[in-house]
Amino acid sequence: MAFGIAMAAGQAQGQLRADEVLVIYDSRSADSKAVAEYYAGSAAVPGGVGNIHGARAGVQTFDLATSGQPLAPPGDISYPNFDNLIRNPIRTYLLNTNQVQTIRCLVTTKGMPHRVQDSTNPGAGDDPNALIAEYSNSDANMASVDTELTLLWISLDQGEAGGSADSRSDGVIQNPYWQLSTPIRTTINTNNRTGKVFSVSGVGPTWVPAGSIGSASRLSAGDLYLVSRLDGPTVADVRGIINRGANIHYNTGTMVTLLDESASNGIADAGANNELDNSASGFPLLRDADDYEITRDELLADRRFAATFTMYNSATGASQFFVGPRLSWSSGILVPQPVVLLATYGSNHAGRPTTTTGMAADTIYGTSFNYPSGAIF
């Protein structure tokens, strides 16, 4: 998304160069290869359909098939297989091509796995009760593949044996890039392979970067890779996403942002409370602010946006759920305008409407809105 905005605005300060981006694909997966070729161009993806210039020609590419490891199919992947089939081959490629510090962004592709399974309870990611039990024991180490790749050079699962906080894959790691306005390519990454030290806090747990600020052993923003994914239900969908991201224009007079909260007091509270967007339960060191209300207030105060650009609702009940005109609803707040940002509690909203044919909103409401190019959900 940032890539598309930057293109529309011209060469932005701090924008990643094409050669700082590594597109990761597997030529044994037709979808993965097709997406990589469409984005990077045929010259960078041998064996493709050919004659495709590429949406961003000049990016680097790495074919996992050349690693000698088996294909990692889409869906879930165990932690050992994530290490062996994805993480370690990328490490080896960057070392062998001397690009450990050159590459700043990793881009995964359709056809690759999405989620690393929990080591002791592989199905916990789909079972809320099991997930809570793992979390309460400080032993929840399921994760998205893309999130784990941000810390490519840290072997997060080292020491993992099913115990409480026995590896840094359990719980979460406090993000040193959080709240910084510095472009990632300007951060210092010369120590991204140096071992890092952490202190541990609370249930979960939260791993907090430790050591002297500025020291090689303290996790810093430059040690992280940005990670993005080119994915969708079909290859055609992914191509559409890439195309729409190249020419973004937001009309602040006719388009809207939707902030659909639920069971909130509507106030930007200074401290944490029980609202879903303002809770510090479990990971208090990661709480920032009362997110929906802060976003609402900052948009309303920003003179680039008309007041009608921002639509906020904090009420509960099916009649208080934002819905779009592409489906017919029995209740809800109809938003006919194009939606540039949809932030919603989704299935966590207290009260969900149904369509006039009786379908619940849980998984389909997002398809009911009109979206301009570059919309964010």
Side-chain angles (χ1 to χ4, degrees):
M1 197 61 61
F3 159 63
I5 294 171
M7 282 189 63
Q11 183 67 30
Q13 183 180 7
Q15 180 185 341
L16 287 169
R17 301 189 311 266
D19 64 348
E20 295 174 310
V21 177
L22 180 66
V23 178
I24 302 160
Y25 73 103
D26 197 312
S27 59
R28 294 165 294 188
S29 164
D31 286 350
S32 180
K33 182 168 66 175
V35 167
E37 184 180 15
Y38 193 79
Y39 188 71
S42 299
V45 182
V49 298
N51 300 317
I52 296 177
H53 179 266
R56 198 174 190 201
V59 295
Q60 306 294 309
T61 59
F62 170 50
D63 182 1
L64 286 165
T66 64
S67 69
Q69 296 294 324
L71 170 70
D76 292 347
I77 188 170
S78 68
Y79 224 119
N81 281 341
F82 165 75
D83 291 345
N84 295 328
L85 308 186
I86 298 177
R87 187 197 70 186
N88 294 346
I90 297 172
R91 286 179 173 181
T92 300
Y93 174 81
L94 292 177
L95 286 168
N96 289 345
T97 58
N98 196 30
Q99 295 190 93
V100 171
Q101 275 86 42
T102 302
I103 296 298
R104 306 302 295 256
C105 177
L106 306 175
V107 180
T108 58
T109 48
K110 177 176 173 58
M112 292 180 60
H114 290 89
R115 180 170 57 193
V116 182
Q117 294 172 317
D118 186 81
S119 296
T120 57
N121 189 345
D126 286 321
D127 183 344
N129 290 326
L131 188 150
I132 291 171
E134 293 289 324
Y135 157 76
S136 299
N137 292 328
S138 291
D139 190 37
N141 68 340
M142 70 287 289
S144 79
V145 166
D146 302 325
T147 301
E148 295 298 270
L149 289 176
T150 63
L151 297 171
L152 179 70
W153 295 107
I154 301 178
S155 298
L156 295 172
D157 58 327
Q158 184 175 359
E160 177 60 41
S164 176
D166 55 357
S167 78
R168 285 169 291 187
S169 65
D170 294 328
V172 297
I173 291 180
Q174 191 178 58
N175 186 352
Y177 195 40
W178 180 35
Q179 296 185 323
L180 294 185
S181 58
T182 306
I184 195 70
R185 72 182 307 269
T186 65
T187 59
I188 298 173
N189 68 346
T190 53
N191 298 314
N192 62 357
R193 290 186 62 213
T194 303
K196 308 301 177 184
V197 295
F198 297 87
S199 61
V200 64
S201 175
V203 174
T206 300
W207 299 90
V208 181
S212 301
I213 295 177
S215 66
S217 62
R218 184 184 179 95
L219 184 69
S220 68
D223 297 322
L224 278 65
Y225 290 91
L226 295 182
V227 182
S228 185
R229 179 176 285 259
L230 298 172
D231 210 337
T234 67
V235 171
D237 288 328
V238 183
R239 289 173 177 166
I241 291 169
I242 294 170
N243 294 341
R244 290 190 299 272
N247 296 288
I248 296 176
H249 175 74
Y250 289 168
N251 186 325
T252 63
T254 61
M255 300 177 181
V256 298
T257 64
L258 298 185
L259 305 172
D260 195 5
E261 200 172 10
S262 176
S264 166
N265 60 15
I267 300 170
D269 297 290
N273 56 21
N274 291 326
E275 295 172 9
L276 187 62
D277 69 324
N278 195 37
S279 173
S281 175
F283 301 104
L285 294 175
L286 303 185
R287 179 192 172 273
D288 177 25
D290 203 349
D291 296 329
Y292 276 69
E293 290 88 345
I294 287 289
T295 302
R296 173 202 62 195
D297 294 347
E298 290 186 355
L299 285 172
L300 290 173
D302 192 320
R303 294 185 179 182
R304 294 174 297 176
F305 306 111
T308 52
F309 182 83
T310 303
M311 296 181 64
Y312 169 86
N313 188 33
S314 62
T316 62
S319 64
Q320 298 298 321
F321 199 102
F322 284 136
V323 293
R326 298 181 65 189
L327 294 173
S328 179
W329 299 95
S330 59
S331 60
I333 302 173
L334 185 65
V335 180
Q337 302 97 318
V339 176
V340 299
L341 169 67
L342 174 60
T344 171
Y345 279 17
S347 294
N348 292 308
H349 192 289
R352 295 179 294 278
T354 58
T355 66
T356 52
T357 59
M359 295 181 64
D362 298 50
T363 59
I364 61 172
Y365 63 90
T367 66
S368 70
F369 297 99
N370 292 314
Y371 297 107
S373 293
I376 302 167
F377 180 9

